[in-house]
Amino acid sequence: MAVKLRLRREGTKKRPHYRVVAADHRAPRDGRFIEIIGEYHPLDDPSTIRIDNERAVHWLQHGAQPTEAVEKLLRISGAWEEFKPGDAPKRDRSAQPEKQKLNKKARARLEAEAEAKSAPAPAADDAAPADEATPEADASEETPAEAAPEAADDAAEESADTEEVEA
Protein backbone atom coordinates (compact mmCIF):
# COMPACT_ATOMS: atom_id res chain seq x y z
CA MET A 1 0.00 0.00 0.00
CA ALA A 2 1.41 3.42 -1.01
CA VAL A 3 1.23 5.85 1.88
CA LYS A 4 1.18 9.64 1.56
CA LEU A 5 1.68 12.26 4.22
CA ARG A 6 -0.87 14.94 3.41
CA LEU A 7 -3.19 17.58 4.80
CA ARG A 8 -6.76 16.75 5.79
CA ARG A 9 -9.02 19.83 5.84
CA GLU A 10 -11.18 20.44 8.85
CA GLY A 11 -12.93 23.42 10.37
CA THR A 12 -15.88 25.46 9.23
CA LYS A 13 -16.52 27.39 6.07
CA LYS A 14 -13.78 30.00 5.51
CA ARG A 15 -12.11 29.00 8.81
CA PRO A 16 -9.96 26.01 7.86
CA HIS A 17 -7.45 24.13 9.91
CA TYR A 18 -5.67 20.99 8.82
CA ARG A 19 -4.50 17.71 10.25
CA VAL A 20 -1.31 16.18 8.90
CA VAL A 21 -2.15 12.52 8.31
CA ALA A 22 -0.63 9.37 6.91
CA ALA A 23 -3.17 7.99 4.43
CA ASP A 24 -3.45 5.53 1.59
CA HIS A 25 -2.81 7.42 -1.65
CA ARG A 26 -6.16 6.20 -3.06
CA ALA A 27 -8.24 7.57 -0.16
CA PRO A 28 -10.02 10.92 -0.68
CA ARG A 29 -8.55 14.10 0.83
CA ASP A 30 -10.87 14.21 3.82
CA GLY A 31 -11.55 10.47 3.91
CA ARG A 32 -9.95 7.51 5.64
CA PHE A 33 -6.47 7.86 7.10
CA ILE A 34 -4.05 5.62 8.95
CA GLU A 35 -2.67 7.97 11.58
CA ILE A 36 -2.76 11.64 12.60
CA ILE A 37 0.78 12.95 12.97
CA GLY A 38 0.16 16.67 13.42
CA GLU A 39 -1.92 19.82 13.05
CA TYR A 40 -1.62 23.02 11.07
CA HIS A 41 -3.60 26.19 11.81
CA PRO A 42 -2.87 28.72 9.04
CA LEU A 43 -5.24 31.44 10.32
CA ASP A 44 -3.54 31.86 13.70
CA ASP A 45 -1.14 34.78 13.94
CA PRO A 46 1.56 33.43 13.60
CA SER A 47 0.35 30.17 12.12
CA THR A 48 0.55 27.14 14.41
CA ILE A 49 2.31 23.94 13.39
CA ARG A 50 2.36 20.92 15.71
CA ILE A 51 3.90 17.76 14.28
CA ASP A 52 4.98 14.57 16.03
CA ASN A 53 8.45 14.41 14.48
CA GLU A 54 9.08 10.87 15.71
CA ARG A 55 6.03 9.48 13.88
CA ALA A 56 6.69 11.62 10.80
CA VAL A 57 10.23 10.27 10.54
CA HIS A 58 8.89 6.74 11.06
CA TRP A 59 6.51 7.08 8.11
CA LEU A 60 9.17 8.70 5.91
CA GLN A 61 11.58 5.86 6.65
CA HIS A 62 8.90 3.36 5.68
CA GLY A 63 8.41 4.95 2.26
CA ALA A 64 5.61 7.48 2.81
CA GLN A 65 5.72 10.31 0.29
CA PRO A 66 4.88 13.79 1.60
CA THR A 67 2.94 16.27 -0.50
CA GLU A 68 4.68 19.57 -1.25
CA ALA A 69 2.76 21.40 1.49
CA VAL A 70 3.51 18.72 4.10
CA GLU A 71 7.17 18.66 3.07
CA LYS A 72 7.37 22.40 3.83
CA LEU A 73 5.75 21.84 7.21
CA LEU A 74 8.18 19.01 7.96
CA ARG A 75 11.11 21.28 7.13
CA ILE A 76 9.77 23.93 9.51
CA SER A 77 9.24 21.43 12.33
CA GLY A 78 12.67 19.84 11.80
CA ALA A 79 11.42 16.34 10.99
CA TRP A 80 12.78 16.54 7.43
CA GLU A 81 16.35 17.10 8.68
CA GLU A 82 16.01 14.22 11.17
CA PHE A 83 14.94 11.98 8.31
CA LYS A 84 18.02 12.91 6.23
CA PRO A 85 16.37 13.74 2.89
CA GLY A 86 19.32 12.27 0.94
CA ASP A 87 17.85 8.87 1.78
CA ALA A 88 14.51 9.78 0.17
CA PRO A 89 13.80 9.68 -3.55
CA LYS A 90 14.32 13.00 -5.33
CA ARG A 91 11.23 15.21 -5.51
CA ASP A 92 12.43 17.73 -8.10
CA ARG A 93 9.51 17.67 -10.51
CA SER A 94 11.17 20.01 -13.01
CA ALA A 95 13.97 17.50 -13.58
CA GLN A 96 11.64 14.67 -14.55
CA PRO A 97 12.04 13.72 -18.19
CA GLU A 98 9.28 14.76 -20.53
CA LYS A 99 9.43 11.31 -22.17
CA GLN A 100 6.60 10.04 -19.96
CA LYS A 101 4.16 12.52 -21.50
CA LEU A 102 5.12 11.88 -25.14
CA ASN A 103 3.85 9.35 -27.62
CA LYS A 104 6.08 6.62 -29.08
CA LYS A 105 7.28 8.58 -32.13
CA ALA A 106 8.25 11.66 -30.14
CA ARG A 107 9.97 9.52 -27.49
CA ALA A 108 12.00 7.72 -30.20
CA ARG A 109 13.01 11.07 -31.75
CA LEU A 110 14.20 12.38 -28.35
CA GLU A 111 16.20 9.20 -27.73
CA ALA A 112 17.83 9.50 -31.18
CA GLU A 113 18.79 13.13 -30.45
CA ALA A 114 20.27 12.10 -27.12
CA GLU A 115 22.34 9.39 -28.81
CA ALA A 116 23.56 11.87 -31.42
CA LYS A 117 24.69 14.26 -28.68
CA SER A 118 26.51 11.51 -26.82
CA ALA A 119 28.30 10.24 -29.98
CA PRO A 120 31.97 11.29 -30.17
CA ALA A 121 32.59 14.45 -32.20
CA PRO A 122 34.71 14.13 -35.38
CA ALA A 123 38.39 14.99 -35.01
CA ALA A 124 39.48 18.57 -35.79
CA ASP A 125 41.59 17.38 -38.76
CA ASP A 126 38.54 15.79 -40.38
CA ALA A 127 36.42 18.92 -39.91
CA ALA A 128 38.62 21.33 -41.95
CA PRO A 129 39.84 20.38 -45.46
CA ALA A 130 43.63 20.24 -45.82
CA ASP A 131 43.85 22.63 -48.84
CA GLU A 132 42.08 25.47 -47.00
CA ALA A 133 44.29 27.59 -44.77
CA THR A 134 43.13 28.22 -41.24
CA PRO A 135 42.48 31.82 -40.13
CA GLU A 136 45.33 31.53 -37.61
CA ALA A 137 47.81 30.82 -40.42
CA ASP A 138 46.55 33.85 -42.43
CA ALA A 139 46.90 36.09 -39.41
CA SER A 140 50.48 35.00 -38.78
CA GLU A 141 51.53 35.73 -42.39
CA GLU A 142 50.18 39.25 -42.48
CA THR A 143 49.49 41.51 -39.50
CA PRO A 144 46.63 44.03 -39.58
CA ALA A 145 49.06 46.97 -39.46
CA GLU A 146 50.69 45.84 -42.72
CA ALA A 147 47.34 45.17 -44.41
CA ALA A 148 45.94 48.62 -43.69
CA PRO A 149 48.44 50.69 -45.79
CA GLU A 150 47.98 48.39 -48.80
CA ALA A 151 44.21 48.75 -48.57
CA ALA A 152 44.57 52.54 -48.38
CA ASP A 153 46.85 52.60 -51.46
CA ASP A 154 44.38 50.45 -53.43
CA ALA A 155 41.50 52.74 -52.50
CA ALA A 156 43.48 55.84 -53.55
CA GLU A 157 44.36 54.30 -56.94
CA GLU A 158 40.72 53.35 -57.61
CA SER A 159 39.50 56.86 -56.78
CA ALA A 160 42.16 58.39 -59.09
CA ASP A 161 41.13 56.07 -61.94
CA THR A 162 37.47 57.04 -61.58
CA GLU A 163 38.33 60.77 -61.60
CA GLU A 164 40.26 60.41 -64.86
CA VAL A 165 37.39 58.59 -66.53
CA GLU A 166 34.89 61.27 -65.52
CA ALA A 167 37.06 64.11 -66.84
Side-chain angles (χ1 to χ4, degrees), residues 60-122:
L60 290 170
Q61 288 174 340
H62 284 85
Q65 295 295 310
T67 61
E68 291 179 12
V70 171
E71 185 176 323
K72 288 178 185 177
L73 295 175
L74 293 175
R75 287 182 192 278
I76 292 168
S77 72
W80 192 251
E81 284 73 26
E82 288 179 35
F83 169 59
K84 298 180 185 171
D87 298 341
K90 302 292 182 200
R91 294 193 44 82
D92 186 11
R93 296 175 193 267
S94 63
Q96 287 182 350
E98 294 292 324
K99 294 178 185 176
Q100 297 171 357
K101 299 177 185 178
L102 302 175
N103 61 20
K104 291 179 182 178
K105 289 181 183 178
R107 190 176 308 136
R109 183 178 45 84
L110 283 177
E111 289 173 359
E113 289 175 4
E115 289 176 14
K117 288 180 183 177
S118 65

Short mmCIF file of all heavy atoms in Angstrom, two decimals, residues 60-122:
data_model
loop_
_atom_site.label_atom_id
_atom_site.label_comp_id
_atom_site.label_asym_id
_atom_site.label_seq_id
_atom_site.Cartn_x
_atom_site.Cartn_y
_atom_site.Cartn_z
N LEU A 60 8.25 8.40 7.02
CA LEU A 60 9.17 8.70 5.91
C LEU A 60 10.16 7.56 5.69
O LEU A 60 10.46 7.20 4.55
CB LEU A 60 9.91 10.01 6.19
CG LEU A 60 9.06 11.28 6.12
CD1 LEU A 60 9.84 12.46 6.66
CD2 LEU A 60 8.58 11.54 4.71
N GLN A 61 10.65 6.97 6.77
CA GLN A 61 11.58 5.86 6.65
C GLN A 61 10.92 4.62 6.06
O GLN A 61 11.59 3.77 5.49
CB GLN A 61 12.20 5.53 8.00
CG GLN A 61 13.18 6.57 8.47
CD GLN A 61 13.68 6.33 9.87
OE1 GLN A 61 13.07 5.61 10.65
NE2 GLN A 61 14.80 6.95 10.20
N HIS A 62 9.62 4.51 6.22
CA HIS A 62 8.90 3.36 5.68
C HIS A 62 8.30 3.65 4.30
O HIS A 62 7.42 2.93 3.84
CB HIS A 62 7.81 2.90 6.66
CG HIS A 62 8.39 2.14 7.81
ND1 HIS A 62 8.87 2.77 8.94
CD2 HIS A 62 8.61 0.83 7.99
CE1 HIS A 62 9.33 1.86 9.77
NE2 HIS A 62 9.20 0.67 9.22
N GLY A 63 8.77 4.71 3.65
CA GLY A 63 8.41 4.95 2.26
C GLY A 63 7.25 5.89 2.01
O GLY A 63 6.82 6.03 0.87
N ALA A 64 6.71 6.54 3.03
CA ALA A 64 5.61 7.48 2.81
C ALA A 64 6.13 8.69 2.05
O ALA A 64 7.21 9.20 2.34
CB ALA A 64 5.00 7.91 4.14
N GLN A 65 5.35 9.15 1.09
CA GLN A 65 5.72 10.31 0.29
C GLN A 65 4.94 11.53 0.75
O GLN A 65 3.71 11.53 0.70
CB GLN A 65 5.42 10.05 -1.19
CG GLN A 65 6.24 8.95 -1.79
CD GLN A 65 7.70 9.32 -1.82
OE1 GLN A 65 8.06 10.41 -2.28
NE2 GLN A 65 8.53 8.43 -1.31
N PRO A 66 5.61 12.60 1.19
CA PRO A 66 4.88 13.79 1.60
C PRO A 66 4.45 14.62 0.39
O PRO A 66 5.14 14.64 -0.63
CB PRO A 66 5.89 14.55 2.45
CG PRO A 66 7.21 14.14 1.90
CD PRO A 66 7.04 12.72 1.45
N THR A 67 3.33 15.31 0.52
CA THR A 67 2.94 16.27 -0.50
C THR A 67 3.85 17.48 -0.35
O THR A 67 4.59 17.60 0.63
CB THR A 67 1.47 16.70 -0.35
OG1 THR A 67 1.31 17.31 0.92
CG2 THR A 67 0.53 15.51 -0.49
N GLU A 68 3.81 18.39 -1.31
CA GLU A 68 4.68 19.57 -1.25
C GLU A 68 4.40 20.40 0.00
O GLU A 68 5.32 20.88 0.66
CB GLU A 68 4.54 20.40 -2.51
CG GLU A 68 5.10 19.73 -3.74
CD GLU A 68 4.95 20.54 -4.99
OE1 GLU A 68 4.61 21.74 -4.90
OE2 GLU A 68 5.16 19.98 -6.07
N ALA A 69 3.12 20.60 0.33
CA ALA A 69 2.76 21.40 1.49
C ALA A 69 3.25 20.73 2.78
O ALA A 69 3.80 21.40 3.67
CB ALA A 69 1.24 21.59 1.55
N VAL A 70 3.08 19.43 2.89
CA VAL A 70 3.51 18.72 4.10
C VAL A 70 5.03 18.72 4.18
O VAL A 70 5.60 18.85 5.27
CB VAL A 70 2.94 17.28 4.13
CG1 VAL A 70 3.56 16.47 5.24
CG2 VAL A 70 1.43 17.34 4.29
N GLU A 71 5.70 18.62 3.05
CA GLU A 71 7.17 18.66 3.07
C GLU A 71 7.66 19.99 3.64
O GLU A 71 8.60 20.04 4.43
CB GLU A 71 7.72 18.45 1.67
CG GLU A 71 9.23 18.36 1.63
CD GLU A 71 9.77 18.07 0.25
OE1 GLU A 71 9.15 17.29 -0.48
OE2 GLU A 71 10.84 18.62 -0.08
N LYS A 72 7.00 21.09 3.27
CA LYS A 72 7.37 22.40 3.83
C LYS A 72 7.15 22.43 5.33
O LYS A 72 7.98 22.96 6.09
CB LYS A 72 6.57 23.51 3.15
CG LYS A 72 6.98 23.77 1.73
CD LYS A 72 6.12 24.84 1.10
CE LYS A 72 6.46 25.02 -0.36
NZ LYS A 72 5.60 26.01 -1.02
N LEU A 73 6.03 21.88 5.77
CA LEU A 73 5.75 21.84 7.21
C LEU A 73 6.77 20.98 7.95
O LEU A 73 7.20 21.32 9.07
CB LEU A 73 4.33 21.33 7.47
CG LEU A 73 3.19 22.21 6.95
CD1 LEU A 73 1.85 21.52 7.17
CD2 LEU A 73 3.21 23.57 7.60
N LEU A 74 7.18 19.88 7.34
CA LEU A 74 8.18 19.01 7.96
C LEU A 74 9.53 19.70 8.05
O LEU A 74 10.27 19.52 9.02
CB LEU A 74 8.30 17.69 7.19
CG LEU A 74 7.09 16.77 7.23
CD1 LEU A 74 7.31 15.57 6.32
CD2 LEU A 74 6.78 16.32 8.64
N ARG A 75 9.86 20.52 7.07
CA ARG A 75 11.11 21.28 7.13
C ARG A 75 11.06 22.29 8.27
O ARG A 75 12.04 22.47 8.99
CB ARG A 75 11.36 22.01 5.81
CG ARG A 75 11.79 21.11 4.68
CD ARG A 75 12.08 21.92 3.42
NE ARG A 75 12.23 21.08 2.26
CZ ARG A 75 13.34 20.44 1.94
NH1 ARG A 75 14.39 20.56 2.70
NH2 ARG A 75 13.39 19.68 0.86
N ILE A 76 9.92 22.95 8.44
CA ILE A 76 9.77 23.93 9.51
C ILE A 76 9.88 23.27 10.87
O ILE A 76 10.53 23.78 11.79
CB ILE A 76 8.43 24.70 9.35
CG1 ILE A 76 8.48 25.57 8.10
CG2 ILE A 76 8.13 25.52 10.59
CD1 ILE A 76 7.14 26.14 7.70
N SER A 77 9.24 22.11 11.03
CA SER A 77 9.24 21.43 12.33
C SER A 77 10.57 20.73 12.62
O SER A 77 10.84 20.39 13.77
CB SER A 77 8.11 20.41 12.39
OG SER A 77 8.41 19.30 11.57
N GLY A 78 11.38 20.49 11.61
CA GLY A 78 12.67 19.84 11.80
C GLY A 78 12.65 18.35 11.53
O GLY A 78 13.71 17.70 11.58
N ALA A 79 11.51 17.77 11.25
CA ALA A 79 11.42 16.34 10.99
C ALA A 79 12.14 15.96 9.70
O ALA A 79 12.70 14.87 9.59
CB ALA A 79 9.96 15.89 10.92
N TRP A 80 12.15 16.84 8.72
CA TRP A 80 12.78 16.54 7.43
C TRP A 80 14.29 16.37 7.61
O TRP A 80 14.90 15.50 7.00
CB TRP A 80 12.45 17.64 6.43
CG TRP A 80 12.81 17.29 5.03
CD1 TRP A 80 13.81 17.82 4.29
CD2 TRP A 80 12.17 16.34 4.18
NE1 TRP A 80 13.84 17.27 3.04
CE2 TRP A 80 12.84 16.35 2.95
CE3 TRP A 80 11.10 15.47 4.34
CZ2 TRP A 80 12.47 15.54 1.89
CZ3 TRP A 80 10.74 14.67 3.28
CH2 TRP A 80 11.42 14.71 2.08
N GLU A 81 14.91 17.22 8.44
CA GLU A 81 16.35 17.10 8.68
C GLU A 81 16.68 15.84 9.48
O GLU A 81 17.72 15.23 9.27
CB GLU A 81 16.88 18.34 9.40
CG GLU A 81 17.04 19.55 8.50
CD GLU A 81 15.71 20.19 8.10
OE1 GLU A 81 14.72 20.05 8.87
OE2 GLU A 81 15.65 20.81 7.04
N GLU A 82 15.81 15.46 10.42
CA GLU A 82 16.01 14.22 11.17
C GLU A 82 15.97 13.01 10.24
O GLU A 82 16.68 12.04 10.45
CB GLU A 82 14.93 14.05 12.25
CG GLU A 82 15.07 14.98 13.42
CD GLU A 82 13.95 14.77 14.43
OE1 GLU A 82 13.51 13.61 14.60
OE2 GLU A 82 13.51 15.76 15.03
N PHE A 83 15.11 13.09 9.25
CA PHE A 83 14.94 11.98 8.31
C PHE A 83 16.14 11.83 7.38
O PHE A 83 16.40 10.76 6.88
CB PHE A 83 13.67 12.20 7.49
CG PHE A 83 13.52 11.28 6.32
CD1 PHE A 83 13.49 9.91 6.47
CD2 PHE A 83 13.40 11.81 5.04
CE1 PHE A 83 13.35 9.08 5.38
CE2 PHE A 83 13.26 10.97 3.95
CZ PHE A 83 13.23 9.61 4.12
N LYS A 84 16.91 12.89 7.18
CA LYS A 84 18.02 12.91 6.23
C LYS A 84 17.48 12.73 4.82
O LYS A 84 17.43 11.63 4.29
CB LYS A 84 19.07 11.85 6.54
CG LYS A 84 19.71 12.03 7.87
CD LYS A 84 20.74 10.96 8.12
CE LYS A 84 21.28 11.12 9.53
NZ LYS A 84 22.12 10.00 9.90
N PRO A 85 17.04 13.83 4.19
CA PRO A 85 16.37 13.74 2.89
C PRO A 85 17.20 13.10 1.79
O PRO A 85 16.68 12.72 0.77
CB PRO A 85 16.04 15.19 2.54
CG PRO A 85 16.78 16.02 3.50
CD PRO A 85 17.17 15.18 4.66
N GLY A 86 18.51 12.95 1.96
CA GLY A 86 19.32 12.27 0.94
C GLY A 86 18.91 10.82 0.79
O GLY A 86 19.13 10.20 -0.24
N ASP A 87 18.29 10.25 1.83
CA ASP A 87 17.85 8.87 1.78
C ASP A 87 16.54 8.72 1.01
O ASP A 87 16.18 7.64 0.60
CB ASP A 87 17.64 8.31 3.19
CG ASP A 87 18.95 8.32 3.98
OD1 ASP A 87 20.02 8.39 3.35
OD2 ASP A 87 18.88 8.25 5.21
N ALA A 88 15.82 9.82 0.84
CA ALA A 88 14.51 9.78 0.17
C ALA A 88 14.69 9.92 -1.33
O ALA A 88 15.68 10.46 -1.80
CB ALA A 88 13.63 10.91 0.68
N PRO A 89 13.73 9.46 -2.11
CA PRO A 89 13.80 9.68 -3.55
C PRO A 89 13.70 11.17 -3.86
O PRO A 89 13.08 11.94 -3.12
CB PRO A 89 12.58 8.92 -4.09
CG PRO A 89 11.75 8.57 -2.93
CD PRO A 89 12.60 8.68 -1.70
N LYS A 90 14.31 11.59 -4.94
CA LYS A 90 14.32 13.00 -5.33
C LYS A 90 12.91 13.45 -5.68
O LYS A 90 12.16 12.75 -6.32
CB LYS A 90 15.24 13.22 -6.53
CG LYS A 90 16.67 12.79 -6.27
CD LYS A 90 17.32 13.68 -5.27
CE LYS A 90 18.76 13.24 -5.07
NZ LYS A 90 19.34 13.69 -3.86
N ARG A 91 12.56 14.68 -5.27
CA ARG A 91 11.23 15.21 -5.51
C ARG A 91 11.24 16.37 -6.49
O ARG A 91 10.25 17.08 -6.63
CB ARG A 91 10.61 15.67 -4.19
CG ARG A 91 10.36 14.55 -3.23
CD ARG A 91 9.47 14.96 -2.09
NE ARG A 91 8.32 15.75 -2.48
CZ ARG A 91 7.18 15.29 -2.96
NH1 ARG A 91 7.02 14.01 -3.17
NH2 ARG A 91 6.19 16.10 -3.26
N ASP A 92 12.35 16.61 -7.17
CA ASP A 92 12.43 17.73 -8.10
C ASP A 92 11.60 17.40 -9.33
O ASP A 92 12.02 16.65 -10.19
CB ASP A 92 13.88 17.99 -8.47
CG ASP A 92 14.03 19.23 -9.31
OD1 ASP A 92 13.04 19.99 -9.43
OD2 ASP A 92 15.12 19.46 -9.84
N ARG A 93 10.42 17.98 -9.42
CA ARG A 93 9.51 17.67 -10.51
C ARG A 93 9.97 18.28 -11.83
O ARG A 93 9.63 17.79 -12.89
CB ARG A 93 8.11 18.14 -10.19
CG ARG A 93 7.54 17.42 -8.98
CD ARG A 93 6.18 18.01 -8.60
NE ARG A 93 5.78 17.55 -7.30
CZ ARG A 93 5.03 16.49 -7.09
NH1 ARG A 93 4.60 15.78 -8.09
NH2 ARG A 93 4.71 16.14 -5.87
N SER A 94 10.72 19.37 -11.78
CA SER A 94 11.17 20.01 -13.01
C SER A 94 12.22 19.17 -13.71
O SER A 94 12.42 19.29 -14.91
CB SER A 94 11.72 21.40 -12.73
OG SER A 94 12.87 21.29 -11.90
N ALA A 95 12.92 18.30 -12.99
CA ALA A 95 13.97 17.50 -13.58
C ALA A 95 13.44 16.20 -14.18
O ALA A 95 14.19 15.46 -14.81
CB ALA A 95 15.04 17.18 -12.54
N GLN A 96 12.18 15.91 -14.00
CA GLN A 96 11.64 14.67 -14.55
C GLN A 96 11.64 14.75 -16.07
O GLN A 96 11.31 15.77 -16.64
CB GLN A 96 10.21 14.43 -14.06
CG GLN A 96 10.15 14.02 -12.62
CD GLN A 96 8.72 13.75 -12.20
OE1 GLN A 96 7.79 14.05 -12.93
NE2 GLN A 96 8.55 13.20 -11.02
N PRO A 97 12.02 13.68 -16.74
CA PRO A 97 12.04 13.72 -18.19
C PRO A 97 10.63 13.86 -18.76
O PRO A 97 9.67 13.35 -18.21
CB PRO A 97 12.66 12.38 -18.59
CG PRO A 97 12.45 11.49 -17.42
CD PRO A 97 12.42 12.39 -16.21
N GLU A 98 10.56 14.55 -19.86
CA GLU A 98 9.28 14.76 -20.53
C GLU A 98 8.87 13.53 -21.33
O GLU A 98 7.79 13.50 -21.91
CB GLU A 98 9.36 15.97 -21.46
CG GLU A 98 9.56 17.28 -20.71
CD GLU A 98 8.34 17.65 -19.89
OE1 GLU A 98 7.20 17.39 -20.33
OE2 GLU A 98 8.52 18.18 -18.79
N LYS A 99 9.71 12.50 -21.38
CA LYS A 99 9.43 11.31 -22.17
C LYS A 99 8.14 10.64 -21.75
O LYS A 99 7.45 10.05 -22.57
CB LYS A 99 10.58 10.32 -22.05
CG LYS A 99 11.86 10.80 -22.65
CD LYS A 99 12.94 9.77 -22.44
CE LYS A 99 14.27 10.28 -22.93
NZ LYS A 99 15.34 9.34 -22.64
N GLN A 100 7.79 10.72 -20.46
CA GLN A 100 6.60 10.04 -19.96
C GLN A 100 5.34 10.60 -20.60
O GLN A 100 4.36 9.90 -20.75
CB GLN A 100 6.53 10.18 -18.46
CG GLN A 100 7.69 9.51 -17.75
CD GLN A 100 7.72 9.84 -16.28
OE1 GLN A 100 6.91 10.62 -15.80
NE2 GLN A 100 8.65 9.26 -15.56
N LYS A 101 5.35 11.87 -20.97
CA LYS A 101 4.16 12.52 -21.50
C LYS A 101 4.05 12.40 -23.02
O LYS A 101 3.05 12.78 -23.59
CB LYS A 101 4.18 14.00 -21.12
CG LYS A 101 4.18 14.24 -19.64
CD LYS A 101 4.27 15.70 -19.34
CE LYS A 101 4.39 15.94 -17.85
NZ LYS A 101 4.54 17.35 -17.54
N LEU A 102 5.09 11.90 -23.69
CA LEU A 102 5.12 11.88 -25.14
C LEU A 102 4.65 10.55 -25.71
O LEU A 102 4.73 9.52 -25.05
CB LEU A 102 6.54 12.16 -25.61
CG LEU A 102 7.15 13.48 -25.14
CD1 LEU A 102 8.59 13.56 -25.57
CD2 LEU A 102 6.37 14.66 -25.68
N ASN A 103 4.22 10.59 -26.96
CA ASN A 103 3.85 9.35 -27.62
C ASN A 103 5.10 8.62 -28.10
O ASN A 103 6.22 9.09 -27.93
CB ASN A 103 2.88 9.63 -28.77
CG ASN A 103 3.50 10.51 -29.84
OD1 ASN A 103 4.70 10.62 -29.94
ND2 ASN A 103 2.65 11.13 -30.64
N LYS A 104 4.94 7.46 -28.72
CA LYS A 104 6.08 6.62 -29.08
C LYS A 104 7.01 7.28 -30.09
O LYS A 104 8.22 7.22 -29.96
CB LYS A 104 5.58 5.30 -29.65
CG LYS A 104 4.93 4.41 -28.62
CD LYS A 104 4.44 3.13 -29.24
CE LYS A 104 3.73 2.27 -28.22
NZ LYS A 104 3.22 1.03 -28.82
N LYS A 105 6.45 7.96 -31.11
CA LYS A 105 7.28 8.58 -32.13
C LYS A 105 8.13 9.70 -31.55
O LYS A 105 9.32 9.80 -31.82
CB LYS A 105 6.41 9.13 -33.26
CG LYS A 105 5.78 8.07 -34.11
CD LYS A 105 4.95 8.68 -35.21
CE LYS A 105 4.26 7.62 -36.04
NZ LYS A 105 3.41 8.20 -37.08
N ALA A 106 7.51 10.54 -30.74
CA ALA A 106 8.25 11.66 -30.14
C ALA A 106 9.31 11.15 -29.18
O ALA A 106 10.42 11.69 -29.12
CB ALA A 106 7.28 12.60 -29.42
N ARG A 107 9.00 10.11 -28.42
CA ARG A 107 9.97 9.52 -27.49
C ARG A 107 11.16 8.96 -28.25
O ARG A 107 12.31 9.15 -27.87
CB ARG A 107 9.30 8.43 -26.66
CG ARG A 107 10.16 7.94 -25.53
CD ARG A 107 9.45 6.92 -24.66
NE ARG A 107 8.14 7.39 -24.22
CZ ARG A 107 7.04 6.66 -24.22
NH1 ARG A 107 7.08 5.40 -24.62
NH2 ARG A 107 5.90 7.16 -23.80
N ALA A 108 10.92 8.28 -29.39
CA ALA A 108 12.00 7.72 -30.20
C ALA A 108 12.88 8.83 -30.77
O ALA A 108 14.10 8.71 -30.81
CB ALA A 108 11.43 6.87 -31.33
N ARG A 109 12.24 9.94 -31.21
CA ARG A 109 13.01 11.07 -31.75
C ARG A 109 13.90 11.66 -30.67
O ARG A 109 15.08 11.96 -30.91
CB ARG A 109 12.05 12.13 -32.28
CG ARG A 109 12.76 13.32 -32.92
CD ARG A 109 11.79 14.35 -33.48
NE ARG A 109 10.68 14.67 -32.62
CZ ARG A 109 10.73 15.57 -31.62
NH1 ARG A 109 11.84 16.20 -31.37
NH2 ARG A 109 9.66 15.82 -30.90
N LEU A 110 13.39 11.84 -29.43
CA LEU A 110 14.20 12.38 -28.35
C LEU A 110 15.37 11.45 -28.01
O LEU A 110 16.48 11.92 -27.74
CB LEU A 110 13.35 12.61 -27.10
CG LEU A 110 12.45 13.83 -27.12
CD1 LEU A 110 11.61 13.88 -25.86
CD2 LEU A 110 13.29 15.08 -27.23
N GLU A 111 15.12 10.16 -28.02
CA GLU A 111 16.20 9.20 -27.73
C GLU A 111 17.27 9.25 -28.82
O GLU A 111 18.46 9.18 -28.53
CB GLU A 111 15.62 7.80 -27.59
CG GLU A 111 14.80 7.61 -26.33
CD GLU A 111 14.09 6.27 -26.27
OE1 GLU A 111 14.21 5.48 -27.23
OE2 GLU A 111 13.42 6.02 -25.27
N ALA A 112 16.86 9.41 -30.08
CA ALA A 112 17.83 9.50 -31.18
C ALA A 112 18.67 10.77 -31.04
O ALA A 112 19.88 10.75 -31.27
CB ALA A 112 17.10 9.49 -32.52
N GLU A 113 18.05 11.88 -30.65
CA GLU A 113 18.79 13.13 -30.45
C GLU A 113 19.77 12.98 -29.31
O GLU A 113 20.90 13.47 -29.38
CB GLU A 113 17.82 14.28 -30.17
CG GLU A 113 17.02 14.72 -31.37
CD GLU A 113 15.99 15.77 -31.04
OE1 GLU A 113 15.94 16.22 -29.88
OE2 GLU A 113 15.24 16.15 -31.94
N ALA A 114 19.38 12.30 -28.26
CA ALA A 114 20.27 12.10 -27.12
C ALA A 114 21.46 11.25 -27.51
O ALA A 114 22.60 11.52 -27.09
CB ALA A 114 19.51 11.45 -25.97
N GLU A 115 21.24 10.22 -28.34
CA GLU A 115 22.34 9.39 -28.81
C GLU A 115 23.28 10.18 -29.71
O GLU A 115 24.49 10.02 -29.65
CB GLU A 115 21.80 8.18 -29.57
CG GLU A 115 21.14 7.15 -28.68
CD GLU A 115 20.55 5.99 -29.47
OE1 GLU A 115 20.87 5.86 -30.67
OE2 GLU A 115 19.78 5.23 -28.88
N ALA A 116 22.73 11.07 -30.53
CA ALA A 116 23.56 11.87 -31.42
C ALA A 116 24.44 12.82 -30.61
O ALA A 116 25.60 13.06 -30.95
CB ALA A 116 22.69 12.66 -32.39
N LYS A 117 23.91 13.36 -29.54
CA LYS A 117 24.69 14.26 -28.68
C LYS A 117 25.80 13.50 -27.97
O LYS A 117 26.88 14.03 -27.75
CB LYS A 117 23.79 14.94 -27.66
CG LYS A 117 22.90 15.99 -28.24
CD LYS A 117 22.04 16.62 -27.17
CE LYS A 117 21.08 17.64 -27.75
NZ LYS A 117 20.21 18.21 -26.71
N SER A 118 25.52 12.27 -27.57
CA SER A 118 26.51 11.51 -26.82
C SER A 118 27.56 10.86 -27.72
O SER A 118 28.58 10.40 -27.24
CB SER A 118 25.81 10.43 -25.99
OG SER A 118 25.19 9.49 -26.85
N ALA A 119 27.32 10.83 -29.04
CA ALA A 119 28.30 10.24 -29.98
C ALA A 119 29.55 11.11 -29.99
O ALA A 119 29.47 12.33 -29.88
CB ALA A 119 27.70 10.15 -31.37
N PRO A 120 30.74 10.50 -30.15
CA PRO A 120 31.97 11.29 -30.17
C PRO A 120 32.00 12.23 -31.37
O PRO A 120 31.58 11.88 -32.47
CB PRO A 120 33.08 10.25 -30.25
CG PRO A 120 32.42 9.01 -30.77
CD PRO A 120 30.99 9.08 -30.32
N ALA A 121 32.51 13.45 -31.14
CA ALA A 121 32.59 14.45 -32.20
C ALA A 121 33.73 14.09 -33.15
O ALA A 121 34.71 13.48 -32.74
CB ALA A 121 32.84 15.82 -31.59
N PRO A 122 33.63 14.43 -34.44
CA PRO A 122 34.71 14.13 -35.38
C PRO A 122 35.97 14.91 -34.99
O PRO A 122 35.90 15.98 -34.41
CB PRO A 122 34.17 14.59 -36.73
CG PRO A 122 33.06 15.52 -36.41
CD PRO A 122 32.52 15.10 -35.08
#
